[in-house]
Amino acid sequence: MFPVYLDDCSNSGTSFPVNLQIHHIAEHIPLHRHNFVEFFYVLEGTGQQRLNGQTFTLQSGVFCVILPYQVHDITPYPGTVLVLYNCSITLDALLDAARHPFSMNRLLFEHSDAMPAVQLSGDEQQRMLHTFREMDDEFQNERPWREASFYAKM
């Protein structure tokens, strides 16, 4: 079975090619890949993700980055719903944002051997949750500084 290929990020082709949503995952999401960067932060629930053949446990506080064309799936554990902030951004937009000193450039390109998922705890977990909430606020509103503020938080 070949993984499903998703070739478009919501809002691609716009001046703000980003999508940020809270996902509630109650059933298995089959293997798939796409041409955009995806990152997510688990708010609640437990499950697992396969990413390029490696399996990671998903639970509150896990932050994960998925690069374009990486094959992955998500399976919530029985009786649980995974709730997570999910952000997708076109690679062009991310690389453009990476020209700024406060970017994910180092995380994505200088630490390519690093694990794609990390379990945060304590203050780090609270800071990440706060950041995603602020990003969500910027994404949901149409303020003039929306894009600049979103990219700065990213």
Side-chain angles (χ1 to χ4, degrees):
M1 173 180 183
F2 290 100
V4 174
Y5 176 65
L6 306 173
D7 65 354
D8 197 19
C9 166
S10 292
N11 298 332
S12 69
T14 70
S15 65
F16 191 47
V18 173
N19 190 32
L20 179 66
Q21 299 178 335
I22 294 180
H23 288 187
H24 295 80
I25 302 170
E27 297 180 0
H28 174 72
I29 297 176
L31 285 172
H32 63 283
R33 62 190 176 97
H34 38 71
N35 63 352
F36 50 86
V37 176
E38 175 182 14
F39 58 95
F40 64 83
Y41 179 73
V42 179
L43 298 169
E44 58 187 74
T46 55
Q48 69 178 23
Q49 176 174 41
R50 284 186 300 169
L51 177 61
N52 289 339
Q54 293 184 303
T55 301
F56 303 95
T57 299
L58 299 177
Q59 60 189 9
S60 179
V62 168
F63 175 72
C64 183
V65 177
I66 303 168
L67 298 176
Y69 307 106
Q70 291 184 320
V71 177
H72 58 285
D73 70 349
I74 291 182
T75 305
Y77 289 153
T80 188
V81 175
L82 280 165
V83 180
L84 49 93
Y85 272 114
N86 183 279
C87 184
S88 54
I89 179 171
T90 64
L91 188 57
D92 288 342
L94 182 67
L95 292 177
D96 187 49
R99 295 176 194 172
H100 304 286
F102 307 109
S103 69
M104 293 191 344
N105 193 40
R106 288 185 60 214
L107 175 65
L108 294 176
F109 301 112
E110 293 180 21
H111 300 285
S112 60
D113 59 336
M115 299 298 280
V118 61
Q119 174 68 55
L120 303 175
S121 61
D123 288 343
E124 287 180 332
Q125 184 175 359
Q126 292 305 309
R127 278 194 304 270
M128 184 66 78
L129 177 58
H130 181 74
T131 300
F132 267 91
R133 285 180 176 158
E134 287 183 334
M135 289 169 52
D136 189 37
D137 179 60
E138 295 300 342
F139 185 77
Q140 299 300 327
N141 291 292
E142 293 291 330
R143 295 181 283 254
W145 57 84
R146 171 187 182 204
E147 293 175 36
S149 182
F150 184 92
Y151 286 129
K153 289 169 180 32
M154 187 176 63

